Amino acid sequence: MDTLILSRLQFAFTMGYHILWPAFTIGLAWFIVFLGAAWLRTRNPVWQELQRFWIKVFSLAFGMGVVTGVVISYQLGLNWSAYARATANVIGPLFVLEVLTAFFLEAGFVGIMLFGRERVGDKIHFAACLIVATGTVISAFWIISANSWMQTPQAFTTTADGRFVATDFWGVIFTPSMPYRFAHMVTASFVTGAFVVAGVSAFWLWRGRPGDQSAARAAFSASLWLAAILVPLQLEIGDQHGQNTRQYQPIKLAAIEARWDTASRVPLTLIAWPNEKQERNDYALDIPVLGSIVLTHSLDGQVQGLKSVPAIDRPPVVPVFFAFRIMVGCGILLLAIAMTGLFLRWRRRLYDTRWYQFACMASVPLGFVATLAGWTITEVGRQPWVVYGHLRTAHAVSPLAGGAVASSLGVALILYNLLLLGFFFYAGQMVFRGPSNLAPTPPVGRPAGAQGLPDATSRTKP
């Protein structure tokens, strides 16, 4: 295992770990905004109770995202210095803008969001929540813009020493794949957050603690309404993203489908074992012609095959092929759960169907699994290029000793898993306590709502 493989493994682990937290916090931040708006409109204390609970969960996840994101920024310079040097003129400004317009925005108002409810009033607190939620989307915009330029690069020229120089700022930002990639990622975050809320609410309903039932019903209903809208929307966005990939990264699509030969009226391969040495699929289960219909929206549509490029320019087929099927499988399961929720709501059995509560609890990891699978498709599918068609991954790595990379990878594995255990411990405690046990405690000796007024219990003898 040489430096290149170790560096790729390290970046895959740290990036895969980090993407879990934006995938959760983007959707959760906007759900918190929804809860705040519902509280301002109705003054129903259930909405305030729920907002207080999910803000605490958000604070843990937000902290995890910040810590792991900072590590990645250092890793780009340490493990991928050749990449950083070559692309700094193009995507460096995008990273700076992400910090200036998004991270500072979130950092400036997240304190009010977390601690300011009893200090600044409901409307200012709601504004802070809205600003933080907006900051999460702006952050995703700049990061997705940088990644999309690496996937479908444009608006640049190269110098004699191999550095990329931007020729059009807006062209760098809005590459052909950027709108599809951004919409797909943000919607995935909303779906992931919705099913986390649904799963936690289902647990409260299943447990049946009287003090939590009103909040559980409200959150369960709202999250499943969101899921019923967002999951079908995500499937449509994913289809459009696939059409864009067929146009601009056809070899990635060929790897996704394990399509070896360029052909029309191709079958849809449900499952197989891609045999890269023999350039064929073993144990394949195909549906004739359906591949062209799904991939090209045409009965006679042509799909480019892997053999159209030399083997050295092909991505690893096995991980991309199976990651896509894992992502789609998770999406189908989430769609089934969301549509079942609509049926149970129609039958007036949404809150008392025990097996459905277990299904919603089991669905909590699916959004995260689908997100990781999607990023595997995106990043592994563009190999062997780090800037698609222009800079190979092997030419982007730093000239480090393999032992140094292996040591830092081992440290990352230990520390990141300890952080994850800590998150599960504290978040799990909050879930088990429930939303009704997270109300703010009034000052000692003063009843709630009468702060600043003395009462009988505050008088003590000398």
Side-chain angles (χ1 to χ4, degrees), residues 48-49 52 56 117-118 435-443 448 451:
Q48 189 181 44
E49 187 177 274
R52 182 177 290 111
K56 290 182 179 294
R117 180 187 298 277
E118 281 76 32
S436 60
N437 292 326
L438 291 177
T441 304
Q451 297 183 19

Side-chain angles (χ1 to χ4, degrees), residues 194-274:
F195 276 96
V196 170
V197 174
V200 171
S201 304
F203 171 73
W204 293 334
L205 289 170
W206 171 80
R207 184 171 59 178
R209 181 185 292 172
D212 295 337
Q213 294 309 292
S214 295
R217 284 171 171 254
F220 196 57
S221 176
S223 60
L224 288 175
W225 275 123
L226 290 171
I229 297 169
L230 292 170
V231 177
L233 176 64
Q234 178 71 323
L235 295 178
E236 173 61 23
I237 294 172
D239 176 70
Q240 295 300 313
H241 191 191
Q243 297 300 307
N244 180 265
T245 301
R246 183 173 74 92
Q247 181 178 358
Y248 292 98
Q249 293 179 295
I251 300 305
K252 178 188 287 188
L253 183 64
I256 288 172
E257 295 300 321
R259 187 61 45 212
W260 298 98
D261 297 301
T262 301
S264 302
R265 301 176 69 87
V266 299
L268 181 67
T269 303
L270 296 179
I271 195 68
W273 182 262

Side-chain angles (χ1 to χ4, degrees), residues 255 258 260 272-276 280-282 317-318 321-322:
W260 298 98
W273 182 262
N275 188 332
E276 297 187 53
R280 70 185 187 196
N281 293 333
D282 297 331
V317 180
V318 172
F321 178 84
F322 284 106

Side-chain angles (χ1 to χ4, degrees), residues 337-356:
I337 293 172
M339 295 302 104
T340 303
L342 288 179
F343 175 77
L344 293 175
R345 193 188 299 271
W346 174 64
R347 295 293 302 273
R348 300 183 184 278
R349 293 176 51 200
L350 181 64
Y351 305 113
D352 54 10
T353 304
R354 302 284 284 181
W355 66 264
Y356 186 68

Side-chain angles (χ1 to χ4, degrees), residues 86 89-90 149 154-159 162-167:
N89 182 272
V90 178
W149 183 85
Q154 66 171 22
F156 71 92
T157 185
T158 55
T159 62
R163 290 182 294 113
F164 298 91
V165 178
T167 57

Side-chain angles (χ1 to χ4, degrees), residues 16 71 92 105 127 150 153 169 173 182 194 202 234 247 266 277 343 361 383 386:
V71 171
L105 187 70
M150 293 159 61
F169 177 72
I173 296 173
F182 177 67
Q234 178 71 323
Q247 181 178 358
V266 299
K277 291 185 178 179
F343 175 77
M361 285 187 270
Q383 298 302 319
V386 66

Side-chain angles (χ1 to χ4, degrees), residues 195 231 327-340 363 366:
F195 276 96
V231 177
M327 181 184 69
V328 172
C330 290
I332 292 172
L333 288 174
L334 294 177
L335 178 65
I337 293 172
M339 295 302 104
T340 303
S363 72
L366 293 181

